[in-house]
Amino acid sequence: MHDVLDEVYRRWQAGETVGVGTVVATFSSAPRAPGAAMLVGADGEAVGSVSGGCVEGAVYELAQQVVADGAPVLQRYGVSDDDAFAVGLTCGGIIDIFVEHIDRESMPDLPELVASVREGTPVALVTTIEHPEAELRGRRMLVWPEDARGGLGSERIDDAVLDDARGMLAGGRSGTLHYGPDGQRRGEGMSVFVNTFEPPPRMLVFGAIDFAAAMARMGAYLGYEVAVCDARPVFATTTRFPEADEVVVDWPHRYLRAEADAGRIDRRTVVAVLTHDPKFDVPVLEVALRLDVGYVGAMGSRRTHDDRLARLREAGLTDAELKRLASPIGLDLGARTPEETAVSIAAEIIALKWGGGGRRLADVDGRIHTDQQR
């Protein structure tokens, strides 16, 4: 429900009942990941997407039905047949979509969920999507690392699901879990969807240059919380970087170390060092390559890269640590302008995240989408 949460809350505040369809499971080459959602309002407006256009029409009608009768539905959509008007996924994938109604009565704890998301507090929304007893379908529980609210039908169910949901929340994963009807570890009949809401991943851009401005715009577009850092106050200004969430005047290595010590760096964090000046980039890379982050890249020519590696080795970094460095930064797209270079860097980040090879899809056989990020 990430995609439509603000709109759901706006309509909830207005006393409206909406239908929401959420992708809860995918198989093979599905176009949207679990958690993708579509809202259908009382006025007929649709917000969000669950399949990139393949089954939205059917989900729209199902959402209207669910709002009318109040009964949630778990619906599977598979490969469409030869009939051009059949509902299905032309990409060959399969998705399960849970359609439910949301209003003040059915989801009284929505303000707490919204507040946690806006404050950047990790929270998971757990929903029973399948159960032999119809009255338990659609039950919800909010789960925080140290708290929980709501319930799924019994203390045994809540206890079983709570531990698993917190494990998924800690790992930033959304997905479906299966149990026996009363939460038994061995059994079937009950399925719950754990929808995790984590703060957005961070992108730290070092070097207040024109390439950094383009990278900040790209990072914001991809959903990162972007910080631009440079030790030179004349360059590190909000006027030059309006798309950045934060512009910091500090020595890059000092800022990165402080952020790591404060617990604001995690495995999803992206570090892009664009200074190509050894007095700035070597100290910050010395810190970055020893952190558990998702990506560390550095701009510069091959000659600059060789000199940088020598300096980092002198600083004591191991071959294993240096192997994590993406330098020269980006994929070979033939980029020239700052904007094209930002696309090149973003492409490399995405490829490393999902295990892509960076080749033209027209030249690659097999599945387009992969299910697990690295």
Side-chain angles (χ1 to χ4, degrees):
M1 206 160 59
H2 300 249
D3 303 341
V4 299
L5 183 61
D6 287 341
E7 184 65 16
V8 170
Y9 187 48
R10 185 183 71 80
R11 293 173 183 262
W12 183 96
Q13 288 178 304
E16 184 180 334
T17 299
V18 300
V20 176
T22 303
V23 177
V24 296
T26 65
F27 310 90
S28 191
S29 186
R32 298 298 308 275
M38 185 177 83
L39 171 152
V40 177
D43 57 0
E45 181 182 8
V47 179
S49 171
V50 291
S51 72
C54 296
V55 302
E56 270 70 9
V59 173
Y60 182 92
E61 294 179 359
L62 189 55
Q64 291 183 315
Q65 172 193 317
V66 168
V67 168
D69 62 28
V73 176
L74 177 62
Q75 182 68 48
R76 174 165 291 185
Y77 297 97
V79 182
S80 58
D81 58 25
D82 294 333
D83 179 357
F85 295 97
V87 175
L89 300 179
T90 57
C91 62
I94 299 172
I95 55 175
D96 288 345
I97 297 178
F98 184 69
V99 184
E100 59 191 326
H101 76 281
I102 294 178
D103 55 21
R104 286 177 174 269
E105 181 179 356
S106 66
M107 196 171 182
D109 295 331
L110 182 60
E112 284 73 18
L113 172 62
V114 172
S116 292
V117 172
R118 290 178 176 175
E119 292 167 2
T121 302
V123 61
L125 174 62
V126 182
T127 305
T128 301
I129 60 174
E130 190 174 23
H131 199 281
E133 299 178 33
E135 64 270 17
L136 295 187
R137 299 172 201 153
R139 290 282 189 95
R140 305 182 185 92
M141 180 167 60
L142 285 179
V143 177
W144 293 270
E146 304 295 336
D147 196 10
R149 181 172 299 183
L152 304 180
S154 75
E155 185 175 349
R156 181 174 180 178
I157 293 175
D158 293 348
D159 289 343
V161 173
L162 192 58
D163 288 341
D164 294 338
R166 283 188 173 136
M168 294 183 71
L169 180 59
R173 296 179 293 111
S174 295
T176 299
L177 302 173
H178 304 281
Y179 304 90
D182 197 30
Q184 300 95 327
R185 296 288 181 180
R186 295 183 179 180
E188 57 184 23
M190 176 181 176
S191 299
V192 303
F193 179 65
V194 181
N195 198 351
T196 63
F197 294 78
E198 277 196 309
R202 300 189 67 194
M203 175 179 286
L204 308 182
V205 182
F206 295 102
I209 61 175
D210 50 356
F211 288 92
M215 199 66 235
R217 289 193 293 273
M218 178 59 69
Y221 177 73
L222 292 176
Y224 286 92
E225 180 181 300
V226 181
V228 176
C229 175
D230 196 297
R232 301 165 294 180
V234 67
F235 296 118
T237 66
T238 55
T239 302
R240 297 189 68 226
F241 300 97
E243 287 84 6
D245 297 283
E246 183 182 20
V247 179
V248 179
V249 178
D250 199 352
W251 282 86
H253 69 283
R254 187 166 60 191
Y255 171 72
L256 180 57
R257 172 49 60 196
E259 292 299 288
D261 291 344
R264 291 190 286 267
I265 303 295
D266 61 28
R267 293 183 179 181
R268 303 173 302 153
T269 301
V270 166
V271 176
V273 180
L274 308 183
T275 51
H276 51 84
D277 183 335
K279 69 175 176 290
F280 291 117
D281 59 21
V282 171
V284 72
L285 287 172
E286 185 179 349
V287 176
L289 291 171
R290 287 170 170 157
L291 296 175
D292 188 11
V293 296
Y295 175 88
V296 181
M299 179 177 283
S301 66
R302 297 196 184 279
R303 180 176 178 179
T304 298
H305 170 67
D306 292 339
D307 177 70
R308 183 186 291 135
L309 287 182
R311 292 172 183 266
L312 289 170
R313 285 194 176 94
E314 289 177 4
L317 271 75
T318 66
D319 287 342
E321 290 168 336
L322 293 174
K323 190 176 181 180
R324 298 179 54 219
L325 177 61
S327 175
I329 197 169
L331 294 186
D332 180 13
L333 304 182
R336 293 293 187 272
T337 67
E339 290 74 19
E340 290 174 346
T341 301
V343 171
S344 168
I345 297 170
E348 182 176 43
I349 292 169
I350 294 168
L352 291 175
K353 176 181 177 180
W354 293 105
R359 298 169 59 193
R360 298 180 65 216
L361 288 174
D363 298 332
V364 178
D365 295 325
R367 293 172 56 185
I368 294 176
H369 303 287
T370 56
D371 295 327
Q372 300 293 329
Q373 60 179 323
R374 292 187 174 181

